[in-house]
Amino acid sequence: MEEEPSNLPVSLWGRVSAFEARAREAYKRKPISHWILLVLSSAAMLVAFPASSLLSRVYYANGGTSKWIISWVAVAGWPLTALILFPTYLVCKTSPTPLTLKLTFSYIVLGLLSAADNLMYAYAYAYLPASTASLLASSSLVFSALFGYLLVKNKLNAAIVNAVVVITAAMTIIALDSDSDRYGNVTDKQYIWGFIWDILGSALHGLIFALSELVFVKLVGRRSFHVVLEQQVMVSLFAFVFTTIGVIVNNDFQRMKYEARSFEGGKSSYYLVLIWSTISFQLGVLGSVAVLFLSSTVLAGVLNAIRVPLTSIAAVILLKDPMSGLKILSLVVTFWGFGCYIYGSSSSSKDSS
């Protein structure tokens, strides 16, 4: 009598072997230069963005006070992206995307929103520990999903909705733990405003992400490496213009001289913090653009998920940020929420393909 085949679950080793086979196939389909660029871009995201966050906190911890200067630093490095954009026209043998009235207006609006977003985050880092600010900023993923659904009609599945709920719970845990991580020189009112500005900045960041995607869908009609770089250059340029106006009106360029004199570590330390903040932020932006183009939004989501605990751990080690049990719990919950979002995004992309 013949035995019926049993539907036993695949062993763990079998799944690992299948994953390894798929990875080898994917590796063979792309040239080695592709993988080198992807590794460098991923490293830029994982190193540059946390470094930029920590340097913002170092600026305030050592005597800096201006929110406009930190906002200005975030976009002052836009020429670095432009320097990478122009050679792509020669390499890819393409021409610049024509600047229509609608497209130019979209870049101006996105630039204004980006300038406001950077200012909100500057207020957050002025009053919150870097570890707390980075955890709160991870809520931008929630707003990206919601605005993407409302504006771009991106799909929402159970895993993504679960991620939204989980990350929201993580933000609530931080709010309940506000007494343990507030700096001594920060008042209750300042801490609350720092918390509010961080959440508002995350919401605006999510809106910017959705509107950027809408520009590609409605106005540009295509997405390639040089087109993504073009948008980044134009949006950063207009954000730089708006922020520079704010710095001038607030007389903060003159204030930089006085801040440099009283800065802990001296003038050289002051200007080095600002210069490296500019460079690190732009490297992070370039890394994220390259990862999106070379791989997928799923990998970018994975790297963003890893970036949050890296920033928090680095802040605890390097800046001696307080790390309570509830903040650790919030970190774990946030990481779990990112995992749900990545799984949901991956499932949606498979369904649509």
Side-chain angles (χ1 to χ4, degrees):
M1 187 174 178
E2 253 182 50
E3 289 184 4
E4 294 183 4
S6 58
N7 295 324
L8 294 174
V10 181
S11 66
L12 178 61
W13 178 251
R15 292 181 181 180
V16 171
S17 300
F19 176 79
E20 185 181 356
R22 288 196 301 271
R24 283 181 180 176
E25 279 182 33
Y27 175 77
K28 290 176 182 177
R29 283 198 297 266
K30 300 287 185 180
I32 187 66
S33 58
H34 170 91
W35 298 109
I36 292 173
L37 283 173
L38 184 57
V39 168
L40 291 175
S41 303
S42 302
M45 279 189 72
L46 294 178
V47 174
F49 274 139
S52 176
S53 299
L54 296 181
L55 286 167
S56 295
R57 186 56 234 168
V58 167
Y59 167 80
Y60 290 114
N62 287 274
T65 58
S66 173
K67 283 72 176 179
W68 279 106
I69 287 175
I70 287 297
S71 305
W72 183 78
V73 160
V75 289
W78 69 268
L80 294 175
T81 309
L83 287 175
I84 294 175
L85 169 63
F86 295 131
T88 62
Y89 295 131
L90 299 175
V91 174
C92 303
K93 297 180 180 179
T94 55
S95 55
T97 304
L99 279 175
T100 63
L101 186 61
K102 284 185 179 179
L103 188 58
T104 304
F105 179 73
S106 299
Y107 288 154
I108 292 172
V109 171
L110 286 172
L112 178 60
L113 293 178
S114 296
D117 190 42
N118 292 331
L119 187 61
M120 290 178 184
Y121 279 134
Y123 272 94
Y125 277 94
Y127 302 135
L128 300 176
S131 55
T132 302
S134 66
L135 280 170
L136 290 173
S138 66
S139 63
S140 63
L141 189 66
V142 172
F143 297 107
S144 296
L146 294 177
F147 286 123
Y149 173 74
L150 294 172
L151 299 177
V152 196
K153 307 304 179 186
N154 289 337
K155 291 182 179 178
L156 281 181
N157 55 30
I160 294 178
V161 173
N162 182 53
V164 170
V165 174
V166 168
I167 294 176
T168 303
M171 302 307 102
T172 305
I173 292 172
I174 294 181
L176 294 173
D177 193 38
S178 60
D179 288 336
S180 69
D181 68 346
R182 187 168 64 248
Y183 291 129
N185 61 336
V186 174
T187 65
D188 291 347
K189 185 177 179 181
Q190 287 174 330
Y191 184 91
I192 292 170
W193 273 112
F195 197 99
I196 292 171
W197 284 123
D198 209 339
I199 296 297
L200 290 176
S202 300
L204 188 53
H205 189 78
L207 177 61
I208 292 168
F209 190 85
L211 289 175
S212 299
E213 191 172 354
L214 195 63
V215 168
F216 284 120
V217 173
K218 298 291 185 181
L219 299 181
V220 180
R222 62 194 173 119
R223 185 187 296 226
S224 62
F225 188 54
H226 83 275
V227 170
V228 175
L229 282 177
E230 281 175 347
Q231 188 191 72
Q232 185 58 47
V233 168
M234 294 303 295
V235 171
S236 296
L237 172 60
F238 284 116
F240 174 75
V241 171
F242 288 125
T243 308
T244 301
I245 293 171
V247 172
I248 293 172
V249 171
N250 209 43
N251 292 320
D252 276 2
F253 281 131
Q254 289 82 355
R255 186 185 299 179
M256 286 176 71
K257 298 177 183 178
Y258 300 107
E259 283 191 345
R261 290 174 193 166
S262 59
F263 196 76
E264 190 174 332
K267 289 184 181 179
S268 58
S269 297
Y270 178 80
Y271 290 115
L272 280 174
V273 166
L274 297 184
I275 291 169
W276 280 110
S277 293
T278 302
I279 295 172
S280 60
F281 190 85
Q282 284 302 312
L283 285 178
V285 168
L286 285 171
S288 61
V289 168
V291 167
L292 284 170
F293 176 73
L294 294 169
S295 183
S296 64
T297 54
V298 175
L299 179 59
V302 172
L303 295 175
N304 266 320
I306 297 172
R307 179 165 66 93
V308 172
L310 279 180
T311 305
S312 297
I313 293 168
V316 171
I317 295 173
L318 300 176
L319 304 182
K320 309 302 180 185
D321 268 15
M323 180 61 76
S324 65
L326 282 176
K327 192 185 283 188
I328 293 172
L329 176 61
S330 176
L331 181 62
V332 173
V333 171
T334 300
F335 203 71
W336 176 258
F338 270 113
C340 294
Y341 182 83
I342 292 162
Y343 176 79
S345 298
S346 179
S347 301
S348 295
S349 60
K350 285 178 183 176
D351 292 340
S352 60
S353 59

